[in-house]
Amino acid sequence: MTDIVFPPFEFQLDPEVRHERLAAAAERSGLLDVAYRTLDTPVGSLLLAATERGLVKVAFDRQDHDAVLAALAAEISPRILRAPSRLDAVSRQLDEYFTGERRAFDVPLDFRLARGFRLSVLEHLPEISYGHTESYAQVAAAAGSPKAVRAVGTACARNPLPVVVPCHRVVRSDGSYGQYAGGEEAKRTLLTLETA
């Protein structure tokens, strides 16, 4: 294992600067498996986490960011560090999305937290156009299992990448919102933003 050594003057720096240098050193040394940061948005604080493959997790405040980080440590790697620079591109694109300047995301995604039918559903969701919705039944048919309507609901509820992979565009057949990881108000905010 590579040791990261800092000269004595490093500890006289501002703690934020020290942390940024530590994150950069960990990245260079291959010791950073999951980088994370938070981003303030109109739907609350979002936790963003990325591996070297791409964005792996987006979590709402109500999902308990500490619990999410603990789950990522268990499922991916305990080598997690707040390292905002790895998430600069997705942060910028989310800012553009929330100001109405962006309609689709163009960042690498790491889907390792989804498998099987859930993954098929998530791969379909970006095909739902900005400002449009599909019912759970329509998504089930598009994902190849027309009778798996409830499984679509589960896939959307467990979507590790909400907002970026737009499960908020999936609604009930009667047009009502249904459940959402960020809560009904967050889903309403996202759909209203897209139809404005």
Side-chain angles (χ1 to χ4, degrees):
M1 180 179 216
T2 306
D3 291 327
I4 300 174
V5 179
F6 291 99
F9 69 86
E10 287 283 334
F11 295 99
Q12 297 170 7
L13 295 173
D14 175 88
E16 188 65 28
V17 172
R18 256 194 342 254
H19 183 86
E20 288 174 18
R21 289 188 179 181
L22 172 64
E27 182 102 44
R28 282 192 308 273
S29 300
L31 300 174
L32 178 58
D33 294 335
V34 181
Y36 75 91
R37 72 175 295 170
T38 56
L39 182 69
D40 290 329
T41 75
V43 292
S45 177
L46 295 178
L47 172 77
L48 310 174
T51 65
E52 286 188 351
R53 295 185 203 172
L55 185 67
V56 72
K57 186 72 176 174
V58 175
F60 292 93
D61 218 5
R62 67 183 284 178
Q63 294 174 287
D64 185 355
H65 291 171
D66 289 337
V68 170
L69 291 171
L72 289 173
E75 294 175 48
I76 298 175
S77 170
R79 297 190 318 185
I80 297 178
L81 192 60
R82 185 174 55 82
S85 62
R86 186 184 282 181
L87 294 138
D88 282 348
V90 72
S91 296
R92 186 185 72 254
Q93 290 188 26
L94 281 162
D95 284 339
E96 293 167 355
Y97 170 80
F98 283 112
T99 58
E101 300 169 40
R102 173 172 292 277
R103 293 178 167 229
F105 293 92
D106 182 26
V107 293
L109 302 176
D110 181 345
F111 280 109
R112 75 176 72 190
L113 298 176
R115 292 169 191 79
F117 182 70
R118 282 179 45 212
L119 180 57
S120 299
V121 169
L122 298 182
E123 289 171 339
H124 169 73
L125 296 179
E127 296 173 17
I128 304 172
S129 300
Y130 181 94
H132 294 86
T133 60
E134 287 185 6
S135 70
Y136 291 99
Q138 288 172 306
V139 173
S145 296
K147 295 181 181 180
V149 175
R150 293 184 82 167
V152 168
T154 300
C156 288
R158 294 185 181 170
N159 177 5
L161 299 165
V163 184
V164 176
V165 176
C167 58
H168 60 274
R169 296 179 189 155
V170 182
V171 297
R172 292 180 174 150
S173 297
D174 65 4
S176 62
Y177 293 135
Q179 299 296 312
Y180 188 60
E184 187 175 327
E185 188 56 38
K187 190 167 186 173
R188 178 181 291 111
T189 298
L190 294 170
L191 291 174
T192 301
L193 167 76
E194 293 187 6
T195 55

